Amino acid sequence: MSGGARNGGGRAGGGGGGGAGGVVPATPLMAQYSDIKAQHPDSILFFRMGDFYETFGDDAVTASRVLGITLTARNNGSAADVPLAGVPVKAVGEYVKRLVRQGFRVAICEQVEDPRLAKGIVRREVVETVTPGAAFSDDLLDGARNNFLCAVHAAGVASDAPLGVAAADVSTGEFRLALVPRADAGALLARLAPREVIVPRGAERGGGGAAALPRLDGVLVTEREAWEFDGAMGRDDLARQFGVLSLDGLGLGAGDGAAIGAAGALLRYLRELQPAGVPHLARPVVEHARGVMPLDEMTRRNLELVESLRPGAGPGSEGTLLGVLDRTLTPMGARLLRQWLLAPLTERDPVEYRLEAVAAFAGDPLTRAALRDALDGVRDVERLASKAAAGRANPRELRALGDSMARLPLVEATLTKILSVERGAWSESDSDAPSTLHAPRSGGDATEPAAPNDNALLSNLSARFDSCADLSSELARALVERPPVAVGEEATIAPGVDRELDELRALRDGGRDAIARIQAEERARTGIASLKVGYNKVFGYFIEVSNANGHLVPADYQRRQTLTGAERYVTPALKEYEERVLTAAERIEARERELFEGLRSRAGGDVRRLQCVAQVLAELDVLATFAEVAEREGYVRPEVTDGYDLDVVGGRHPVVERMMPREKFIPNDVRLTEEARLVILTGPNMAGKSTVLRQIGLIVLMAQVGSFVPATRAAIGVVDRLFTRVGASDNLVRGQSTFMVEMAETSAILHTATRRSLVLLDEIGRGTSTYDGVSIAWSVSEHVHDVIGCKTVFATHYHELTQLADELPAVRNFNVAVREVGGEVLFLHRLQPGGANRSYGIEVGRLAGLPAPVLSRAREVLALLEGEQIVEGLGGRGGEAGARGAGHEARGAGRGARNGAGKPLPASRAPRPEPREQLALFVAEPHPVVERLREVDPNNLTPLQALELLAKLVAEVKGAR
């Protein structure tokens, strides 16, 4: 595992140093700073001072350099000034985002008491530490993918000891635990795609029994003390977090110690980052090895599931399976779709549950359209609920949550409608029908396709649905229609919600009317018709009475100012009114903040309900999306079985056909059975062999995700693993050549694949010499056929491998058809039985624009090679697999080395042919100067004659030029 910053050793530690990063605590303020900084040495400390967050010492130097802000100095009362750099409070989000994206941790230190009430230094505390793996800000998050923080812990020092993985997304509250074999840990972490991983200290260097931790490039790695991963402590942490006495209720047993230890370390780390806690963290989803297919790096990459291989392709989903299928309407749905694509199911029942639900939506376009219209206005309920529970949601986000909840009755109505059409009687005994995230129901005939006609999945979603009507109505009633981002900028609480707030607003906004009312009341009380109520900045509110009416002034009037012809007075009631008016704005903001925080706490208290309904919305969104894409793209429902066979009629590549006119894509049929389980696929370059391989893998994966597939008909026996090795590239960072990468990937397949696996190979053995390559490809094919017995398609330019069909009973030859017309090659992109006899590489070179002389000479060399038919016996069980120097087939050659009984000999016992003279590809004409030198006897030349001869030869050479 490798990453950018590391705790104490990388970027994240750069802002720390010792204590306060060089700050000498000569003043009370800097002493406070130093104490807080000492608790967060590996973070850049943003220290709140009024309207700015200040950084000091080494932190200031780092922040100035990374953020491009001015570096100044503060006189600390000591001999040396302290470096200082600050950012405005209102713009802090942008600066934090830039630091975190650079791999730094940022500790936010706030003033936690009112400066006006503080005695001495204002009390400050770190309220949050932002890291790449623990962020709430939308600026740091991608709405279409989770932001996981993972902890990894080895169960022991043995090489086969499993790894425990705990993953939390603090932005959504999602929490996952898994115990996986070390070989599958990389696939799990790649699926989770964490931004940050915590490991026991020394794990990356092979300590702590974790020498085989998977490698993750570009991930922040944080080392923690090994004792923090203790299983017993982890049990206590989990029990305390979720308020349980036993972990049995969480689905964790005695054998899950490594996962429990990882969970404890993760929870402890989160409490450090979030001192207020993570109350929104959902009960853990426990993943076990069975039920979900691990996808290794090469398969994810080669199938372009979520990232494109095209040069220059950005981080978006264009050109990927995700880009084709993602028509989701909610952020929760987009995240779930990505999770499903990276975690195909390996058991038939849960696949059928999804397919049945997709079929229901596909069969009712009007209801599906109504559902999608209802979902279109739903915001990110999952993250908004988590923000509310963590006390971070602002008024605008809370209103968005309420508006999203207001659309839930429409969603529920469409779900009820489609169920009333699709399901029959759904009894209470089926109430435990599984969510697609959990294991399937047991029972039933495993040989028959599951057909839950009662739509078990949709029924389950309906049973879990909660419209949250009470919360929705409360949010809609309490908040203005368009609230501000922060309380105090504009009105947040709607009129009529709180009487005190309404009175304060009336005071603030209706001063003139109030003065007129008070003036009328005082005139009536005193009988002074000329009495006036006024206001000035020096004396505030006053009652002015002329001297002529002085005898009518009541006893409760208090003289405030004497004028030439009048006196100004105040009364206790007027003083009270003045105080209320002058402080109305502050009191309005305080009251609104109080009401809003109560409302936010109310929403946060329902975080479990909101998380549950968010999961239901996500599943409905993805299922309806599958149906929508199926209708638009002409996909069909696959027949998923527990059998072995794979039978696809009219299969298409979902991404390639989207990127070209539909009528130009040529569909192909593929059938793999026990009797014909290994296909040797030959054909020319550019004929589409790699496309065929990828489309087979994508069709199987889409089916096991629960999607309809691009085909005319498809019957798919569920596979437990899918391996796709297509193309090759080196890995300079890991010191591996192209061929080494190819062999490592092939080795992983041969060690991991089972009989239920699907293996798609392209060009094994091309990175070395021809003889070595053919030998490896031949041996790999035999091993897959004889030992593993899995379904395999092997695309190759080693046409010698087609002879395997003569020796191995379950091998079949296919090729991608071409047609030669007028000396040019037409690629038909259609599979047909039989092996190819040419690769047409020179024709591909012509299409690529190679110079004509190069092409002409290549044809000459090819003719020489084919004429010579250089064949060296490579026997073995496959018979003759003669490899010629240029990798072309030896057409017309013999059937290989055999013994007297006609049986093919092993390669070690096959008689080697007599050595023959090497083919001269380039015949050189003798040079005249060379011929002259052959006739010269240097022993009979004098020095002068030698010089004269040399001069003549040089002149001849120059003349020839």
Side-chain angles (χ1 to χ4, degrees):
M1 183 180 294
S2 131
R6 287 172 177 76
N7 190 353
R11 279 181 175 164
V23 176
V24 179
T27 67
L29 178 68
M30 298 314 295
Q32 183 189 53
Y33 171 85
S34 296
D35 290 342
I36 296 174
K37 176 62 184 176
Q39 300 172 34
H40 301 273
D42 300 314
S43 302
I44 294 178
L45 182 63
F46 273 30
F47 191 74
R48 178 73 177 267
M49 296 178 65
D51 293 332
F52 280 80
Y53 287 104
E54 302 289 1
T55 60
F56 298 97
D58 295 340
D59 285 358
V61 174
T62 301
S64 173
R65 171 175 51 82
V66 175
L67 302 176
I69 58 179
T70 302
L71 181 66
T72 61
R74 174 188 177 93
N75 189 294
N76 191 37
S78 60
D81 289 342
V82 177
L84 167 69
V87 299
V89 170
K90 290 186 177 181
V92 69
E94 176 63 27
Y95 292 108
V96 170
K97 176 181 72 174
R98 288 164 59 184
L99 286 169
V100 171
R101 286 184 173 174
Q102 290 288 325
F104 294 95
R105 297 179 177 85
V106 181
I108 308 296
C109 181
E110 292 286 1
Q111 298 174 172
V112 293
E113 67 176 331
D114 190 334
R116 295 172 298 182
L117 305 177
K119 297 180 180 179
I121 298 297
V122 176
R123 187 162 56 89
R124 294 176 173 85
E125 293 178 359
V126 170
V127 297
E128 175 187 15
T129 300
V130 185
T131 77
F136 282 94
S137 171
D138 292 339
D139 293 336
L140 292 168
L141 300 172
D142 182 348
R145 60 190 301 173
N146 286 97
N147 192 75
F148 280 116
L149 167 66
C150 287
V152 181
H153 177 48
V157 297
S159 60
D160 59 347
L163 289 183
V165 178
D169 183 347
V170 297
S171 69
T172 65
E174 189 171 349
F175 189 30
R176 292 180 174 273
L177 300 181
L179 190 69
V180 296
R182 294 200 185 208
D184 295 336
L188 174 62
L189 289 174
R191 167 160 61 91
L192 296 172
R195 295 284 305 281
E196 183 178 359
V197 175
I198 62 175
V199 298
R201 190 172 303 282
E204 287 197 288
R205 298 181 292 277
L213 286 180
R215 182 186 182 101
L216 286 176
D217 296 325
V219 176
L220 175 66
V221 177
T222 300
E223 294 184 334
R224 307 284 289 181
E225 297 302 327
W227 61 264
E228 296 188 41
F229 293 80
D230 178 72
M233 292 180 61
R235 288 183 178 276
D236 293 340
D237 289 325
L238 283 168
R240 184 167 55 253
Q241 174 70 31
F242 299 105
V244 296
L245 295 177
S246 169
L247 300 189
D248 294 341
L250 300 179
L252 294 167
D256 297 318
I260 294 171
L266 181 61
L267 289 174
R268 199 168 296 109
Y269 183 57
L270 283 176
R271 285 196 294 269
E272 290 183 13
L273 300 181
Q274 309 288 333
V278 280
H280 62 290
L281 208 61
R283 291 167 70 95
V285 174
V286 182
E287 296 185 6
H288 294 287
R290 64 188 299 265
V292 175
M293 181 193 303
L295 293 176
D296 54 49
E297 179 185 359
M298 62 180 173
T299 300
R300 294 191 312 274
R301 182 184 68 240
N302 291 327
L303 292 183
E304 298 181 289
L305 298 181
V306 297
E307 295 179 359
S308 176
L309 287 174
R310 292 178 299 110
S317 60
E318 183 179 356
T320 66
L321 180 61
L322 179 62
V324 170
L325 296 180
D326 192 0
R327 295 295 179 270
T328 55
L329 297 166
T330 68
M332 302 88 69
R335 292 194 292 271
L336 183 62
L337 174 60
R338 183 186 180 92
Q339 290 179 18
W340 280 10
L341 290 184
L342 295 175
L345 304 175
T346 58
E347 295 181 358
R348 186 188 59 177
D349 281 354
V351 173
E352 285 291 344
Y353 290 132
R354 290 184 186 176
L355 289 174
E356 191 68 22
V358 174
F361 285 120
D364 193 345
L366 294 179
T367 303
R368 184 180 75 241
L371 172 64
R372 288 174 60 81
D373 286 343
L375 290 172
D376 198 16
V378 176
R379 301 279 294 279
D380 199 335
V381 173
E382 207 169 24
R383 282 183 171 163
L384 291 173
S386 294
K387 282 188 174 183
R392 298 172 181 277
N394 62 43
R396 190 169 295 174
E397 291 169 336
L398 208 58
R399 178 71 200 206
L401 179 61
D403 291 343
S404 298
M405 295 295 100
R407 302 191 69 82
L408 294 187
L410 298 174
V411 176
E412 188 174 25
T414 59
L415 180 57
T416 300
K417 182 178 180 182
I418 205 163
L419 275 172
S420 67
V421 174
E422 289 295 322
R423 77 177 176 185
W426 182 57
S427 65
E428 286 299 318
S429 62
D430 291 322
S431 62
D432 62 345
S435 162
T436 57
L437 296 176
H438 299 86
R441 291 179 297 182
S442 59
D445 186 354
T447 63
E448 294 295 328
N453 294 324
D454 59 354
N455 240 314
L457 175 54
L458 293 182
S459 297
N460 174 268
L461 295 177
S462 178
R464 292 160 52 202
F465 198 92
D466 181 357
S467 65
C468 300
D470 52 340
L471 177 61
S472 173
S473 61
E474 186 172 349
L475 293 176
R477 181 184 66 86
L479 294 171
V480 297
E481 186 174 354
R482 295 180 180 175
V485 173
V487 176
E489 296 178 355
E490 298 176 15
T492 297
I493 305 299
V497 173
D498 182 73
R499 179 176 180 180
E500 179 184 347
L501 181 61
D502 291 342
E503 291 177 353
L504 290 171
R505 286 172 174 168
L507 279 175
R508 182 194 62 188
D509 302 331
R512 183 174 300 175
D513 293 339
I515 289 175
R517 176 179 55 79
I518 293 173
Q519 181 173 281
E521 290 174 352
E522 291 301 313
R523 283 180 177 180
R525 182 165 77 96
T526 61
I528 304 173
S530 61
L531 179 148
K532 295 187 297 184
V533 177
Y535 172 83
N536 67 34
K537 293 182 179 180
V538 176
F539 294 98
Y541 285 94
F542 57 83
I543 300 173
E544 184 175 307
V545 179
S546 65
N547 291 337
N549 294 309
H551 63 288
L552 298 176
V553 172
D556 62 339
Y557 275 34
Q558 302 171 14
R559 184 178 285 105
R560 172 165 285 188
Q561 183 183 12
T562 300
L563 302 178
T564 302
E567 293 286 344
R568 289 179 174 174
Y569 303 89
V570 294
T571 65
L574 189 59
K575 283 184 177 180
E576 180 183 350
Y577 173 76
E578 178 182 50
E579 182 179 353
R580 291 169 60 197
V581 169
L582 294 180
T583 60
E586 293 181 6
R587 293 170 63 195
I588 286 172
E589 179 178 342
R591 184 57 180 164
E592 279 204 323
R593 191 176 304 280
E594 181 183 354
L595 293 171
F596 172 74
E597 289 178 354
L599 195 63
R600 184 168 61 187
S601 297
R602 164 77 172 86
D606 277 342
V607 64
R608 298 288 178 262
R609 294 174 63 194
L610 294 171
Q611 287 173 336
C612 181
V613 76
Q615 292 170 5
V616 173
L617 293 173
E619 291 196 45
L620 288 173
D621 192 8
V622 175
L623 295 169
T625 290
F626 282 163
E628 185 78 10
V629 174
E631 181 179 291
R632 290 188 181 186
E633 305 296 334
Y635 295 173
V636 300
R637 177 178 177 174
E639 178 188 352
V640 179
T641 73
D642 285 326
Y644 184 91
D645 295 359
L646 169 63
D647 187 7
V648 177
V649 178
R652 313 187 303 274
H653 192 298
V655 180
V656 174
E657 76 165 352
R658 173 72 70 84
M659 302 175 71
M660 62 188 299
R662 173 70 58 81
E663 63 277 3
K664 290 190 176 182
F665 189 90
I666 308 299
N668 276 296
D669 304 342
V670 175
R671 179 171 173 78
L672 296 171
T673 66
E674 288 270 19
E675 295 74 26
R677 60 179 178 269
L678 196 161
V679 167
I680 302 296
L681 180 60
T682 52
N685 289 295
M686 286 191 63
K689 297 190 300 298
S690 295
T691 298
V692 170
L693 288 180
R694 288 188 172 100
Q695 84 182 33
I696 295 170
L698 288 172
I699 288 173
V700 170
L701 184 141
M702 289 172 66
Q704 294 190 209
V705 162
S707 168
F708 285 17
V709 299
T712 303
R713 180 175 61 82
I716 295 169
V718 173
V719 303
D720 63 348
R721 292 293 296 261
L722 172 59
F723 298 97
T724 307
R725 210 221 73 78
V726 180
S729 61
D730 57 20
N731 192 326
L732 298 180
V733 174
R734 303 184 192 180
Q736 296 177 342
S737 67
T738 299
F739 183 64
M740 183 62 184
V741 171
E742 178 183 312
M743 290 297 97
E745 293 178 349
T746 304
S747 174
I749 293 172
L750 298 182
H751 282 95
T752 310
T754 71
R755 180 180 171 278
R756 290 185 59 205
S757 301
L758 173 62
V759 176
L760 306 170
L761 301 173
D762 186 19
E763 301 297 350
I764 293 295
R766 299 297 291 183
T768 184
S769 71
T770 304
Y771 294 147
D772 283 351
V774 172
S775 302
I776 292 172
W778 189 285
S779 180
V780 166
S781 300
E782 288 183 345
H783 185 86
V784 169
H785 178 279
D786 294 342
V787 179
I788 301 176
C790 59
K791 297 183 283 290
T792 306
V793 181
F794 187 172
T796 181
H797 282 288
Y798 288 136
H799 300 131
E800 296 81 5
L801 296 184
T802 59
Q803 298 172 45
L804 284 167
D806 297 334
E807 309 298 338
L808 302 178
V811 174
R812 300 292 184 271
N813 287 325
F814 279 82
N815 70 88
V816 186
V818 297
R819 181 179 299 169
E820 295 185 69
V821 179
E824 294 191 2
V825 177
L826 297 179
F827 300 102
L828 302 182
H829 304 292
R830 185 176 296 281
L831 290 182
Q832 62 185 15
N837 58 6
R838 292 185 61 188
S839 289
Y840 296 96
I842 295 175
E843 293 303 315
V844 175
R846 181 184 62 79
L847 294 174
L850 288 180
V854 173
L855 296 172
S856 177
R857 181 56 179 157
R859 292 189 180 96
E860 293 175 5
V861 174
L862 179 62
L864 287 171
L865 292 171
E866 290 182 334
E868 287 290 328
Q869 292 184 356
I870 300 176
V871 177
E872 181 162 346
L874 177 67
R877 290 178 49 195
E880 194 277 323
R884 301 188 339 261
H888 293 275
E889 67 290 342
R891 290 178 295 176
R895 294 303 301 163
R898 297 175 182 267
N899 61 17
K903 184 177 180 180
L905 293 173
S908 59
R909 288 186 254 168
R912 299 184 62 85
E914 293 296 325
R916 63 198 313 161
E917 186 177 352
Q918 183 177 355
L919 175 66
L921 298 181
F922 302 96
V923 181
E925 295 291 335
H927 196 281
V929 173
V930 175
E931 294 301 314
R932 290 274 305 274
L933 288 173
R934 292 183 189 277
E935 300 173 357
V936 173
D937 182 3
N939 295 324
N940 295 327
L941 292 178
T942 66
L944 181 59
Q945 289 173 331
L947 289 174
E948 289 176 350
L949 177 60
L950 179 60
K952 288 179 180 180
L953 294 178
V954 170
E956 289 181 16
V957 172
K958 290 183 176 179
R961 293 181 181 174

